[in-house]
């Protein structure tokens, strides 16, 4: 174990980690200080996802259409920069989707999917919001920390310059904060979604999805509904429903960032 005392950056991070991660540097290429949101339409290319309607309705197309509608709603407000992991029928490996968000220092990652259930398991319907499960995230955090702590940047701080023990602490603090914000956004999202969408009887869940494993980007995966349910499928392929549901999700994003900014102002050190 290193006996070198923690650097000043450790104490600064410990005292104001929320403010540090929220107030990331503006986009270096554009100087735009607005929060960056990454929307991730699931599947794509040969990975069609769930199929319905005799195979003519594919999940990859349903979620892409919805993601574009959500992007348009967010951009309309003018308060965010929004990018998508794919805008056409392209296959993107799961790990690349995470790298896409992290490399851009995104402040929110929303992965869009549509669920399915075998007929033998009954007829279930409604939207679900997933966050990363505690057990999976803890195990992955340990592996990811070991591999990336020395060469990666968390919230604008280069951990490669820090001693081993300090880097591990900073990584853990950033990851804990990320999980807290992910759960906070999931709760806000469910609250807003229920006014426009039919929700699953247990709308908040957690699982070990690869796309949710960025240690420094609050992330959720939204299953819009069940393509195996006739009522859900009708909604999922409806332009009017898509517009309304996307508007409600955009409202949840607005509420999330409003709360984060208020929290940042509360914890920021006085000048």
């Amino acid at each position: 174990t290193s006996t070198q005392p923690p650097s000043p950056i450790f104490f600064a991070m410990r005292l104001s980690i929320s403010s540090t991660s929220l107030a990331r540097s503006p986009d270096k290429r554009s100087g735009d200080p607005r929060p960056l949101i990454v929307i991730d339409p699931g599947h794509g290319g040969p990975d069609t996802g769930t199929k319905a309607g005799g195979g003519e309705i594919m999940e990859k197309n349903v979620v892409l259409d919805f993601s574009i509608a959500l992007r348009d709603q967010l951009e309309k407000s003018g308060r965010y920069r929004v990018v998508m992991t794919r805008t056409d029928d392209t296959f993107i490996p799961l790990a690349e989707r995470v790298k896409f968000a992290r490399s851009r220092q995104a402040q929110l990652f929303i992965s869009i999917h549509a669920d399915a259930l075998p007929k033998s398991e009954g007829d279930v319907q409604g939207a679900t919001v997933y966050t990363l499960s505690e057990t999976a995230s803890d195990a992955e955090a340990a592996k990811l920390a070991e591999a990336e702590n020395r060469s990666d940047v968390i919230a604008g701080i280069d951990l490669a310059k820090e001693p081993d023990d300090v880097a591990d602490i900073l990584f853990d603090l950033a990851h804990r904060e990320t999980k807290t914000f992910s759960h906070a956004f999931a709760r806000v999202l469910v609250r807003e979604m229920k006014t426009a969408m039919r929700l699953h009887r247990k709308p908040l869940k957690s699982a070990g999805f690869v796309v949710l494993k960025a240690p420094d980007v609050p992330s959720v995966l939204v299953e819009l509904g069940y393509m195996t349910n006739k009522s859900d499928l009708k909604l999922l392929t409806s332009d009017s429903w898509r517009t309304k549901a996307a508007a409600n999700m955009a409202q949840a994003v607005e509420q999330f960032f409003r709360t984060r900014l208020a929290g940042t102002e509360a914890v920021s050190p006085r000048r």
Side-chain angles (χ1 to χ4, degrees):
T1 302
S2 172
T3 57
Q4 181 177 349
S7 68
I9 197 171
F10 164 70
F11 295 104
M13 185 79 166
R14 185 174 63 179
L15 290 171
S16 58
I17 184 168
S18 295
S19 132
T20 303
S21 64
L22 176 63
R24 288 176 173 167
S25 301
D27 187 287
K28 293 180 180 179
R29 292 162 292 186
S30 67
D32 194 334
R34 294 176 300 168
L36 176 68
I37 300 169
V38 172
I39 301 174
D40 173 47
H43 308 286
D47 177 15
T48 63
T50 299
K51 293 182 179 181
E56 296 182 1
I57 303 174
M58 293 179 282
E59 180 185 355
K60 66 176 183 178
N61 297 328
V62 169
V63 299
L64 178 60
D65 289 343
F66 188 90
S67 296
I68 291 172
L70 178 57
R71 179 196 65 187
D72 292 346
Q73 288 286 342
L74 290 168
E75 287 184 337
K76 186 168 64 175
S77 73
R79 286 187 282 272
Y80 312 102
R81 291 174 289 141
V82 187
V83 293
M84 295 170 58
T85 55
R86 69 179 181 94
T87 56
D88 55 19
D89 189 18
T90 302
F91 173 76
I92 303 173
L94 298 178
E96 290 302 315
R97 297 169 190 256
V98 178
K99 290 179 181 178
F100 182 92
R102 297 194 69 213
S103 66
R104 288 161 176 76
Q105 292 195 329
Q107 281 143 296
L108 186 62
F109 178 91
I110 306 173
S111 191
I112 304 295
H113 290 253
D115 218 333
L117 195 68
K119 290 183 179 180
S120 60
E121 296 185 27
D123 189 21
V124 181
Q125 62 186 124
T128 309
V129 179
Y130 284 89
T131 53
L132 191 64
S133 65
E134 289 296 323
T135 50
S137 95
D138 288 347
E140 287 300 321
K143 295 178 182 178
L144 191 57
E146 182 178 353
E148 298 193 69
N149 268 359
R150 306 302 168 267
S151 60
D152 208 16
V153 174
I154 299 289
I157 297 175
D158 185 359
L159 301 184
K161 299 178 181 178
E162 296 300 311
D164 291 356
D165 52 351
V166 175
D168 289 342
I169 292 171
L170 295 184
F171 183 90
D172 184 58
L173 287 172
H175 200 189
R176 286 185 191 180
E177 184 205 31
T178 297
K179 289 193 290 184
T180 297
F181 280 129
S182 296
H183 285 289
F185 177 60
R187 289 192 294 270
V188 173
L189 193 53
V190 166
R191 186 169 65 242
E192 293 294 335
M193 284 168 56
K194 69 181 180 182
T195 63
M197 306 169 68
R198 181 184 292 111
L199 299 182
H200 187 274
R201 58 188 178 83
K202 294 182 179 179
L204 277 173
K205 297 185 179 182
S206 60
F209 290 107
V210 172
V211 293
L212 300 182
K213 295 182 179 180
D216 52 352
V217 181
S219 306
V220 299
L221 185 146
V222 180
E223 296 281 2
L224 297 171
Y226 285 80
M227 291 181 62
T228 46
N229 177 274
K230 292 182 178 179
S231 296
D232 276 6
L233 184 61
K234 184 177 180 179
L235 292 176
L236 290 169
T237 54
S238 164
D239 290 339
S240 59
W241 176 87
R242 186 183 303 118
T243 299
K244 183 178 180 181
N248 277 71
M249 289 183 66
Q251 181 58 38
V253 171
E254 174 69 19
Q255 178 62 37
F256 172 69
F257 279 104
R258 188 185 305 128
T259 302
R260 283 193 67 174
L261 287 168
T264 298
E265 290 170 359
V267 299
S268 294
R270 295 180 180 179
R271 296 183 179 180

